[in-house]
Amino acid sequence: MKNNQKIFIVSMNGTSNAGGVEKVSYYLNEILSEKYDVKFITKTKLNFGKINNLIQPILISLILLFKHNRLIIANSWHCFLYPADISIHHGTSAGIMDKTGENNLSLKLTAWMEKVSAKKAKSILSVSENCKKELISYYGIPEEKIFVINNFVEDSVFYPLKDTQKKEEINVCFSGALCYKKGIDILKSLTQYIENHDLPRKIKFNIATNFDRNTEDFKNLKKITLQTGLNSSQMPDFYRKNDILFFPTRYEGFSMAALEAVSSGLCLIGSDFAVTPEFINYPFCQQIHFNTQIEEIVKGIIKLYDEFHNKKQEIHNQIKKDFGTEQYKQKLFSFINKIIENK
């Protein structure tokens, strides 16, 4: 039986099962609709050109002034002038600028809108401990206003194959855009090393990316395969065919690629934005730094494979317990109920 409480989710681009904010909104709708009447508020059909991402949130903020007796769940800056009951923050633009060196007008504007939305919101739901720290340090948000509920993984979709026999060849993968933010320079160094050196164990590297940008650096290599345009329904099989995810990303809110990979039974080697505080204590996760020698990364790959190649189901079970669908539902409904009680 559904609760009488009506909920509006603000997501400028609606929902999608592909990735990003739209994917989180998609899942929020799926889960919250079990108990509540949920509707979406998206951007208008008007297009304001270069300032569209400023004008649309202002319009949405004005629209919300006329929506009474609703619980408003906003995606950060998408209605930054309206005091949302819950503002979900998936990371910060200030963090992106700090960690990647990107510094353009669009990011500065978004960072300002994020700060305004966070200050105006009645409560904040952060998807990671890293994001919570950034909201405090970059935007001056009081710690007591921020609650952390990590993104979850569809454990019924991302799971390992039963066959975990030790193979002669170790399959390592990368999933994401081939850009500086995702650590393409480290990725190129590792793949070139694998391609050009005789290693103590055979390693094959598999790359999945949605864009053709910067793919030329990885083509025509014997030990490297590259696939573009894989959709969300193809990613579970991509992960299952691999043993380890290598993810040297310079910035993430809370990486869905890392979460989906480990739920598929893979080990994880990556930066502190891949192997986050949530993952750091798992023995199947290894954190590296940007100055870590490639030889050490290769040794880490071999060591993790030898220790965990036959423990993929155990890895999946641990991730299901800590980040699976059911535990997320319990945390989310508990959080929403408390907000409604205090509304």
Side-chain angles (χ1 to χ4, degrees):
M1 182 179 293
K2 288 192 176 183
N3 190 293
N4 291 327
Q5 178 67 57
K6 297 183 183 298
I7 293 178
F8 279 161
I9 299 175
V10 180
S11 178
M12 276 181 52
N13 297 315
T15 66
S16 165
N17 201 21
V21 172
E22 293 75 31
K23 186 170 187 176
V24 174
S25 298
Y26 170 86
Y27 285 133
L28 274 177
N29 181 49
E30 289 286 304
I31 292 171
L32 293 178
S33 293
E34 294 178 11
K35 292 189 177 182
Y36 304 102
D37 180 10
V38 180
K39 289 183 170 43
F40 273 84
I41 295 185
T42 62
K43 63 185 176 184
T44 69
K45 294 181 180 179
L46 301 172
N47 191 315
F48 300 93
K50 292 182 178 180
I51 59 171
N52 196 50
N53 281 351
L54 172 63
I55 301 301
Q56 292 288 354
I58 293 174
L59 293 178
I60 293 174
S61 299
L62 292 173
I63 290 170
L64 289 175
L65 291 175
F66 301 95
K67 303 296 184 181
H68 303 292
N69 301 318
R70 306 288 193 271
L71 183 77
I72 308 300
I73 301 177
N75 281 289
S76 181
W77 55 273
H78 291 194
C79 59
F80 71 100
L81 293 179
Y82 185 86
D85 296 293
I86 302 170
S87 182
I88 303 177
H89 285 256
H90 309 268
T92 68
S93 296
I96 294 174
M97 289 189 287
D98 184 26
K99 301 300 181 182
T100 70
E102 292 184 48
N103 192 6
N104 55 56
L105 182 59
S106 177
L107 274 174
K108 289 179 179 178
L109 176 61
T110 305
W112 172 72
M113 291 191 292
E114 287 171 354
K115 182 176 181 178
V116 173
S117 69
K119 285 186 174 294
K120 283 184 171 292
K122 296 172 185 176
S123 61
I124 294 173
L125 196 159
S126 168
V127 301
S128 69
E129 290 294 336
N130 280 340
C131 180
K132 177 181 177 178
K133 291 176 182 177
E134 291 179 4
L135 288 167
I136 296 169
S137 62
Y138 294 131
Y139 299 155
I141 307 303
E143 183 176 1
E144 60 271 16
K145 188 177 177 178
I146 307 170
F147 304 86
V148 176
I149 301 182
N150 300 126
N151 288 336
F152 76 98
V153 62
E154 282 189 285
D155 51 88
S156 62
V157 175
F158 293 93
Y159 55 85
L161 294 174
K162 292 182 179 180
D163 181 13
T164 56
Q165 295 296 316
K166 194 169 185 178
K167 304 186 297 290
E168 181 181 350
E169 187 174 70
I170 303 173
N171 283 279
V172 183
C173 67
F174 170 90
S175 173
L178 297 173
C179 61
Y180 180 76
K181 177 184 171 185
K182 299 291 184 179
I184 187 175
D185 51 329
I186 314 299
L187 180 64
K188 284 199 294 186
S189 295
L190 177 59
T191 53
Q192 289 291 336
Y193 187 90
I194 291 172
E195 179 73 12
N196 297 318
H197 287 76
D198 291 325
L199 306 176
R201 296 281 292 282
K202 289 184 178 179
I203 296 177
K204 182 180 178 182
F205 208 102
N206 305 295
I207 297 173
T209 182
N210 284 332
F211 308 100
D212 290 328
R213 182 180 53 175
N214 296 325
T215 56
E216 63 277 358
D217 294 313
F218 303 95
K219 291 179 178 178
N220 302 317
L221 301 175
K222 294 179 181 179
K223 299 177 185 178
I224 316 298
T225 63
L226 187 145
Q227 296 172 275
T228 59
L230 293 182
N231 59 43
S232 58
S233 65
Q234 294 172 304
M235 290 309 296
D237 282 333
F238 172 78
Y239 288 128
R240 288 187 195 108
K241 294 174 182 177
N242 288 282
D243 304 300
I244 292 170
L245 175 71
F246 178 67
F247 200 36
T249 180
R250 285 183 165 82
Y251 189 85
E252 302 289 327
F254 189 67
S255 171
M256 290 302 295
L259 195 52
E260 291 169 353
V262 290
S263 183
S264 302
L266 278 67
C267 295
L268 172 64
I269 296 180
S271 66
D272 56 349
F273 276 97
V275 183
T276 61
E278 290 86 354
F279 289 152
I280 192 67
N281 291 322
Y282 291 139
F284 48 85
C285 295
Q286 177 183 326
Q287 192 179 92
I288 61 167
H289 304 286
F290 293 109
N291 60 355
T292 300
Q293 295 296 309
I294 299 299
E295 295 91 335
E296 293 302 312
I297 295 175
V298 171
K299 288 178 182 178
I301 289 171
I302 295 172
K303 182 179 179 182
L304 282 176
Y305 178 77
D306 286 343
E307 185 173 352
F308 291 101
H309 72 275
N310 60 346
K311 297 179 181 178
K312 290 189 174 185
Q313 189 61 48
E314 293 178 25
I315 294 174
H316 169 78
N317 292 342
Q318 183 68 60
I319 297 303
K320 178 179 179 178
K321 175 179 175 291
D322 295 341
F323 300 99
T325 305
E326 289 306 316
Q327 63 81 37
Y328 181 83
K329 285 183 180 181
Q330 292 177 15
K331 290 177 182 177
L332 181 64
F333 282 131
S334 176
F335 178 67
I336 295 289
N337 289 338
K338 288 180 182 178
I339 298 297
I340 292 174
E341 289 172 4
N342 296 325
K343 190 170 168 59

